[in-house]
Amino acid sequence: KIGQNVDREMVEYILDMVKPDYVQCDCKGHAGFSSYPTKVGNQAPGFIRDPLKIWRQVTAERGVSLYVHYSGVWDAKAVEKFPEWARINEQGRPDKRLTSVFGPYVDELLLPQLKELSGEYGIDGAWIDGECWATERDYHPRVLEQFAKLTGIQTNPLSPADPYWFEFSEFCRDGFRKYLDHYVSEMQKYDPDFEIASNWAYSSMMPEPVKIDVDFISGDFSAQSSLNSARFEGRCMVHQGKPWDLMAWSFTWTDGLYSTKTVPQLQQEAAVVLALGGGFQGYFPQKRDGSIRKWQMPLMAETAKFCRQRQEICHRAKPVPQIGLILSTDAFYRKLGKLFAAWSGELAPINGILQCLLDGQNVVDIVMEHHLESTINQYPLLIYPEWETLEPDFKVQLIQYVNDGGNLLVIGPKAAALFEQELDVALLDTSSVKVNGLACKDWIAGIKSMSQRVKLGESVKPFGRIYQQNDTAEDYEPAASIRPLGKGQIAAVYLNLGERYENASTTVSRDFLDELVQQLFPEPMVTVTGSHHVDVCVNRKGNRTAVHLVNTSGPHGNKQVYVFDEIPAVGPLDISIRTLQKPDSVWLEPGHRSCDYKFIDYSIKLVVDELQIHDIIVFENE
C-alpha cells in the first residue's frame, strides 16, 4: 500500500536529523513502475496517498531541494507495454529491459513524465539512472538503415571480431548522446530551473568533453570496495567543468544480503570525495510503501555532520596539478566491450596504477585528452597507463610536452610499443603473460602479467629488475627504462603493473613505481612519510591551499568484509609542503586547530601526530 507510512512526521524527522541540502527520492525505477500517481506513465498499483506530494510540501517549507530518481533507458514496463520502443538485440529480438535511444520512448514517456514532475509537483531536478551504462548496441532496422546511410557500411557487426565493430559502436554511442541532448534541451525550454544529471555521463564510463548541458555530473560508486571506487571516480569527474557529486551506498549488497554500513565506514568514503572538492550523497533504500527505515538515519546524520565540518574548505576547490594519469577517451572506447560501462575489467589497469601511486602518497589527477589541451604543461609528470592505442595527434602533443621539459611515463609493453622510437629501445620477441619476479629495494615479489624483453639504446638508462626466478643471483632483464628527450624525459615499464596491482597488489610493486616516479619527478609539492595508508590531495580555493590527508587503513578493499566499524589511526606523519612564499598562517581543519610548523628552504615542515579519518592542512597567503 504505497504511501501508507509516508507522512509529514517522517519527512520532518529526516530533515531535522540530517539537515541536507537536498533530498532525492524514488520516482521510477528500472522495473518501470512509477512510485507516484502519474497521469502520463505506468504507476505502481495500490496507492493510499501520494508520497511525492508529501515530500514536496515538507521540503519546500524547509527550503530543501527535492530531486527524484528516474530510470531512463532501462524501463522494463515500457518495453513490455510497447515492444516497438525496445532496442533490438544481437539475435534480432526486442530487449526485455532496455528502450531504444533511437526510438519514440524519449518523447512518449520520459519527457512527458519529467514535465509532469516539474509542472505538477515543482520538483527541482532529476537524477536519471540506467542511462549511458545501460545503453546497448541497437540492431533495430531503422538504426541499421541510418548507420548504412551515414557510413556506407552495409554489413552489421555483431561481435568485436567483425569488421566495423568500432564504427557501429561509435554510431550507437552517438545515438545516446543525441537522445540525452534532446531531453536535456527540451526540459531547459520547458523549465530552465529544472536540473538534470544523467547517471555516469561524463565520468569514467563516458570520458569525453561535456558537450551536452547537463546541470551536474554524478554517479553511485560501488557498494563493495567503495573507497577505491571513490578514489577513482571522483578524479574522473573533477576536471569536467561541472558541479559533481558521488553517491555512496549506505549498505553493502552481496549474495543478496543487505548490510548497513557503519558511521566510520561511510565517513571514510565521504572523506575521499570531499578531499577532491566534490559533493557527497548517501543512498538509503525506501521500503515498498515509500517510507524509510528510521533506525538508519543517525548514520547519515553523523556522516552529514562530518561533511559540514569540512564544507567551507573542501567544496568546489580546484586540484593543484602534480601527476596526471591519462584516461584516454579514444583508447578506452576502442577497448570497451559495452558501449560505455567498463564491466569487463577495461579500467582495471588505470585503476591499479592510481591505487599504486596513491599508496605511495603521490598526488594524482586523472586527465583525459581534452583536459590537457590547455593544461598539459602544468603537469610535471604524465603517465600513459597500459593503453594499447594512441591517436596520432595526441602522440604529437605528448612528445612536444616532453621536448618542452615535461616527463612522460608509459606503462605496459603494448603502450611502450607506441613510443618505441622515442624511448630508443627495441622490443624483443612478442609480449606475453609470464610469471616473473619484480625487484625493488633488494626484495622480490612475484608478478604474473603481460611483459616483454627489451634492448636498450645507448642513450637509455635501465631501471629496476625482472627476474625469472625468486632469486637475485639469477640473470635479470630491465623492468623499465629512462631516456632524456629534449628538455624532458621519457620512461617506460615493460610489464602490466596496473592490472596486477588492482588484482594482486604487493609492496614491491608500490615501491618500484614510487621510486621510478621519484626519478622523473624528484621535487613534488607535498611529501608524506610515516604510513602508506594515507591518500594525499592538494587543492586551492581562493587564496587558501589545502593539503588533504585521508586515512585509507582498514579492510575496505577486502571482498570478504562487508561491514567494519574500526579504522586504525595512522601517524605520526612527517609532512613537507613546498611553497615559494612563507605563508601568513598554517592550521588544521576541521576546527581551525593551531599547529606547530617550520618554514625551511621554501617548505612548510610539520608533523601530524595522529590521523583518524580526514585532516586538512590549510595555509593562506594574502
Side-chain angles (χ1 to χ4, degrees), residues 151-437:
T151 64
I153 297 171
Q154 300 300 319
T155 58
N156 301 327
L158 298 175
S159 74
D162 294 338
Y164 307 115
W165 172 256
F166 177 73
E167 288 78 4
F168 184 64
S169 299
E170 282 290 279
F171 179 79
C172 291
R173 288 186 190 106
D174 197 49
F176 173 78
R177 296 182 191 109
K178 291 176 180 176
Y179 150 90
L180 176 59
D181 185 46
H182 174 57
Y183 77 72
V184 168
S185 299
E186 287 299 310
M187 283 306 297
Q188 286 178 341
K189 295 175 188 175
Y190 180 80
D191 181 356
D193 295 326
F194 190 86
E195 294 190 332
I196 291 175
S198 175
N199 186 21
W200 292 120
Y202 302 117
S203 69
S204 68
M205 298 188 190
M206 190 178 167
E208 55 189 62
V210 181
K211 295 183 178 179
I212 299 166
D213 195 19
V214 293
D215 294 283
F216 62 105
I217 298 172
S218 186
D220 52 323
F221 55 73
S222 173
Q224 290 288 102
S225 193
S226 303
L227 186 139
N228 286 331
S229 179
R231 285 167 129 181
F232 181 69
E233 300 299 348
R235 285 173 172 82
C236 292
M237 293 179 178
V238 68
H239 291 289
Q240 288 287 59
K242 288 282 186 178
W244 65 276
D245 67 20
L246 280 169
M247 176 195 292
W249 289 27
S250 67
F251 57 95
T252 59
W253 182 36
T254 308
D255 302 327
L257 300 174
Y258 286 80
S259 298
T260 302
K261 294 176 180 176
T262 65
V263 169
Q265 193 172 358
L266 210 58
Q267 288 178 340
Q268 186 184 45
E269 294 171 18
V272 173
V273 179
L274 301 179
L276 293 167
F280 182 79
Q281 54 174 313
Y283 166 38
F284 292 80
Q286 293 171 251
K287 298 180 186 179
R288 300 290 290 179
D289 65 359
S291 63
I292 56 99
R293 296 168 176 85
K294 285 189 175 182
W295 77 267
Q296 297 173 340
M297 285 302 103
L299 167 59
M300 194 61 207
E302 287 300 309
T303 304
K305 181 179 177 181
F306 178 91
C307 295
R308 291 291 188 203
Q309 291 171 339
R310 294 157 173 81
Q311 180 174 349
E312 182 183 355
I313 297 296
C314 296
H315 195 223
R316 299 193 181 182
K318 302 299 181 184
V320 175
Q322 292 286 278
I323 298 173
L325 183 61
I326 299 171
L327 199 176
S328 169
T329 302
D330 181 74
F332 172 69
Y333 282 153
R334 290 184 182 277
K335 183 179 182 180
L336 199 58
K338 293 175 70 67
L339 283 181
F340 293 101
W343 288 343
S344 298
E346 293 93 344
L347 288 173
I350 186 173
N351 216 328
I353 294 297
L354 176 66
Q355 291 177 35
C356 192
L357 289 167
L358 294 179
D359 290 350
Q361 286 58 68
N362 294 285
V363 177
V364 188
D365 287 351
I366 290 178
V367 291
M368 305 165 198
E369 288 97 334
H370 62 280
H371 296 152
L372 295 173
E373 290 175 359
S374 60
T375 65
I376 189 167
N377 292 319
Q378 296 178 17
Y379 286 91
L381 174 61
L382 290 175
I383 300 177
Y384 200 70
E386 298 173 35
W387 298 114
E388 299 176 9
T389 58
L390 177 67
E391 286 189 297
D393 288 347
F394 187 49
K395 179 178 179 180
V396 170
Q397 186 182 14
L398 289 174
I399 298 305
Q400 185 62 51
Y401 156 81
V402 177
N403 282 319
D404 290 342
N407 299 287
L408 176 64
L409 172 59
V410 182
I411 299 179
K414 291 189 176 181
L418 303 170
F419 296 90
E420 194 167 2
Q421 180 179 344
E422 291 77 16
L423 288 163
D424 189 20
V425 301
L427 293 166
L428 307 176
D429 309 321
T430 57
S431 59
S432 60
V433 176
K434 304 183 184 72
V435 177
N436 296 305

Side-chain angles (χ1 to χ4, degrees), residues 594-622:
S594 62
C595 64
D596 294 327
Y597 72 95
K598 297 178 181 179
F599 189 73
I600 305 172
D601 296 330
Y602 299 104
S603 294
I604 301 167
K605 308 279 188 178
L606 73 155
V607 175
V608 173
D609 292 324
E610 184 179 77
L611 175 64
Q612 294 288 338
I613 295 180
H614 177 211
D615 278 342
I616 312 162
I617 304 164
V618 186
F619 62 95
E620 189 171 48
N621 292 312
E622 294 295 338

Side-chain angles (χ1 to χ4, degrees), residues 361-580:
Q361 286 58 68
N362 294 285
V363 177
V364 188
D365 287 351
I366 290 178
V367 291
M368 305 165 198
E369 288 97 334
H370 62 280
H371 296 152
L372 295 173
E373 290 175 359
S374 60
T375 65
I376 189 167
N377 292 319
Q378 296 178 17
Y379 286 91
L381 174 61
L382 290 175
I383 300 177
Y384 200 70
E386 298 173 35
W387 298 114
E388 299 176 9
T389 58
L390 177 67
E391 286 189 297
D393 288 347
F394 187 49
K395 179 178 179 180
V396 170
Q397 186 182 14
L398 289 174
I399 298 305
Q400 185 62 51
Y401 156 81
V402 177
N403 282 319
D404 290 342
N407 299 287
L408 176 64
L409 172 59
V410 182
I411 299 179
K414 291 189 176 181
L418 303 170
F419 296 90
E420 194 167 2
Q421 180 179 344
E422 291 77 16
L423 288 163
D424 189 20
V425 301
L427 293 166
L428 307 176
D429 309 321
T430 57
S431 59
S432 60
V433 176
K434 304 183 184 72
V435 177
N436 296 305
L438 178 64
C440 184
K441 297 180 179 178
D442 299 321
W443 209 263
I444 300 177
I447 183 167
K448 182 180 180 181
S449 76
M450 184 76 68
S451 62
Q452 191 164 4
R453 293 174 56 241
V454 63
K455 181 180 179 180
L456 307 183
E458 293 182 0
S459 64
V460 182
K461 180 178 75 174
F463 182 88
R465 299 180 179 186
I466 297 177
Y467 292 92
Q468 293 185 1
Q469 304 293 331
N470 189 19
D471 189 349
T472 57
E474 300 289 336
D475 292 336
Y476 63 87
E477 297 286 339
S481 68
I482 305 173
R483 181 200 180 196
L485 185 63
K487 298 178 182 179
Q489 300 178 92
I490 185 169
V493 177
Y494 300 105
L495 50 81
N496 280 354
L497 193 67
E499 182 274 330
R500 281 291 78 197
Y501 200 84
E502 167 80 350
N503 295 295
S505 68
T506 66
T507 58
V508 170
S509 293
R510 178 200 66 204
D511 293 343
F512 164 80
L513 183 58
D514 194 43
E515 288 198 358
L516 180 53
V517 165
Q518 290 178 29
Q519 292 285 316
L520 299 169
F521 183 27
E523 295 184 345
M525 180 180 174
V526 180
T527 58
V528 176
T529 58
S531 174
H532 286 292
H533 297 294
V534 182
D535 271 10
V536 185
C537 299
V538 184
N539 51 42
R540 289 195 178 104
K541 189 175 182 181
N543 58 359
R544 292 177 176 177
T545 301
V547 177
H548 297 260
L549 308 173
V550 179
N551 181 353
T552 60
S553 64
H556 59 82
N558 188 334
K559 294 180 180 179
Q560 278 69 51
V561 177
Y562 294 0
V563 175
F564 57 93
D565 60 1
E566 186 174 352
I567 299 171
V570 298
L573 304 174
D574 290 299
I575 298 160
S576 177
I577 307 166
R578 293 171 59 84
T579 178
L580 295 177

